[in-house]
Amino acid sequence: MTTIDWNALADTFDQEPDHGLADPEVRRAWADRLARWLPPHPSDVLDLGCGTGSLSLLATEQGHRVTGVDLAPDMVARARAKLAGTDAEVLLGPADLPPVGERRFDVVLARHVVWLLPEPETALRHWATLLRPGGRLVLVEGVWGGDGLPAARVTAVLAPLADRIHHERLSDDPALWGRQVDDERYALVASTARPRRHTEVIDVHLVLRRGDEVLLARRAGTGYGDGLWNGPSGHVEDGEDVRAAMVREAAEEVGVELMPGDLRAALVMQHRGPGGAPRVGWFFEADHGTGGEPYNREPDKCSEIAWHRLDALPDDMVAYCRAGLEAYRRGDRFVVHWHEDGDPIAHVAGGPDRSVVLPLSRGAR
């Protein structure tokens, strides 16, 4: 890390052609490059280590919504003055941990900043988390007299973070610097992957009723929730509808031979397990005696089956199933059940209720 007193440099910072952009040719050269690096439509741009705000001003003039960040109070004061009358804002804070809270941006822009940071690799990984899906990192860096970061090192850090990386050599364009340069100067534009169409696993759950009781199975040898009670359930396979999947799972797990007409839709629940991906569960009600007497047909995945009163469910249950059955008993029909990452898989008596009941439309039964 190179230690520089940026406050002491603030008064003369803009005298460098590529800092103040006072020369029309230099300003035009940076404006042309910035127009290629930034999105063609108005976007949220985070300019880190913004200095006196020259690039922030160019981005603002091109229609972008800019937030600048700099650690030096005198630099921030000059940037705010330069950007007065625009919608841009300038924050005082470190570039490696910018004070932007939960905000996300379309572009993170940094010129001659990464090489000054104490842990460049850590900063770049953090900056990537500040991007929206499909966002981009725009980095202008170089190597000057042994200082700086070679492009290969920065590219290696960006590779696992980006969908594609564009390298642009800048040393050969004297208009950018107001003079000829003979060192390594470059830009890297690292674009993250655009959002992909959302997909979710579909589960089916059997609520087999014997009067006031429901059938539960104790999981064993599955690697998930073993030792906990859960309703007979499984995943929808490719090409199945949810009723066909429920009929198949009921036969495979508890030997009950149901027909699609034996099933009554009881509950639909979107669920996210601790640290996991979302899934949607369809709970189907069926009557005991329909399709035969249940028995444990998968002893390698289930240690026992037993009937339990719906109003006195055991505590040692998979939280997802317990929440679904409690919602079903209340008469709820659509529920979101979203675990926090630190939540256990098992139901916790007296613990926080993660269920959110979705109201039915007017006129729905």
Side-chain angles (χ1 to χ4, degrees):
M1 175 183 179
T2 301
T3 302
I4 298 174
D5 185 352
W6 293 104
N7 272 321
L9 295 176
D11 287 341
T12 60
F13 188 76
D14 278 352
Q15 293 176 11
E16 287 290 327
D18 58 308
H19 292 169
L21 306 183
D23 183 296
E25 184 180 358
V26 174
R27 181 181 177 81
R28 184 165 51 252
W30 280 103
D32 289 345
R33 297 278 181 161
L34 210 58
R36 296 207 301 264
W37 298 335
L38 301 183
H41 49 80
S43 302
D44 293 313
V45 177
L46 179 62
D47 184 5
L48 297 176
C50 66
T52 60
S54 295
L55 290 190
S56 291
L57 182 58
L58 286 183
T60 300
E61 291 172 347
Q62 293 178 8
H64 300 292
R65 301 173 294 272
V66 179
T67 300
V69 175
D70 203 279
L71 185 61
D74 288 355
M75 292 286 191
V76 168
R78 282 161 177 75
R80 287 173 176 168
K82 188 176 292 186
L83 291 160
T86 73
D87 292 333
E89 64 174 330
V90 184
L91 307 176
L92 179 66
D96 50 349
L97 290 171
V100 295
E102 298 299 315
R103 295 170 59 189
R104 294 295 177 265
F105 300 85
D106 302 300
V107 179
V108 171
L109 168 68
R111 181 176 66 170
H112 300 164
V113 173
V114 180
W115 75 284
L116 295 166
L117 301 177
E119 297 182 20
E121 289 82 3
T122 301
L124 289 171
R125 287 191 289 269
H126 178 62
W127 292 355
T129 69
L130 301 178
L131 292 172
R132 298 185 178 112
R136 62 184 74 176
L137 290 168
V138 178
L139 309 175
V140 178
E141 291 295 330
V143 179
W144 308 271
D147 291 324
L149 293 172
R153 178 179 171 185
V154 182
T155 300
V157 180
L158 295 175
L161 308 175
D163 191 47
R164 62 186 182 278
I165 302 172
H166 168 68
H167 175 277
E168 205 165 305
R169 181 175 170 84
L170 305 180
S171 305
D172 300 333
D173 187 353
L176 291 170
W177 318 107
R179 58 188 173 88
Q180 294 283 348
V181 297
D182 57 5
D183 44 31
E184 179 188 1
R185 305 190 186 194
Y186 60 88
L188 294 175
V189 181
S191 301
T192 60
R194 295 195 176 276
R196 293 177 172 83
R197 182 167 294 176
H198 180 66
T199 59
E200 291 188 4
V201 170
I202 305 296
D203 294 330
V204 288
H205 301 257
L206 180 62
V207 185
L208 190 61
R209 294 294 302 266
R210 189 176 72 175
D212 294 333
E213 296 177 317
V214 294
L215 184 70
L216 298 180
R218 192 183 292 277
R219 299 177 66 89
T222 68
Y224 183 89
D226 290 334
L228 301 176
W229 290 102
N230 198 61
S233 60
H235 297 165
V236 177
E237 296 182 353
D238 188 33
E240 285 185 318
D241 66 37
V242 290
R243 294 193 308 168
M246 188 75 270
V247 167
R248 176 180 52 77
E249 289 290 348
E252 291 176 355
E253 294 196 9
V254 292
V256 175
E257 302 290 341
L258 298 171
M259 299 293 291
D262 298 328
L263 301 173
R264 299 180 293 274
L267 172 74
V268 177
M269 173 186 280
Q270 187 189 35
H271 163 73
R272 175 186 178 272
R279 60 182 57 212
V280 174
W282 283 73
F283 288 70
F284 286 100
E285 179 188 72
D287 296 323
H288 173 239
T290 304
E293 189 66 23
Y295 65 97
N296 183 5
R297 196 175 178 187
E298 294 184 322
D300 57 326
K301 298 179 182 179
C302 171
S303 60
E304 60 177 317
I305 63 172
W307 296 95
H308 295 264
R309 286 186 58 86
L310 188 58
D311 60 358
L313 295 169
D315 286 334
D316 55 338
M317 287 187 68
V318 174
Y320 175 20
C321 178
R322 171 75 181 239
L325 290 178
E326 288 179 346
Y328 161 75
R329 184 170 65 87
R330 292 192 303 264
D332 300 326
R333 291 295 176 259
F334 300 96
V335 176
V336 173
H337 185 261
W338 218 254
H339 273 301
E340 300 292 335
D341 285 345
D343 287 350
I345 295 170
H347 167 73
V348 177
D353 184 2
R354 302 301 188 194
S355 297
V356 176
V357 178
L358 306 183
L360 298 177
S361 63
R362 292 185 179 90
R365 292 192 297 115

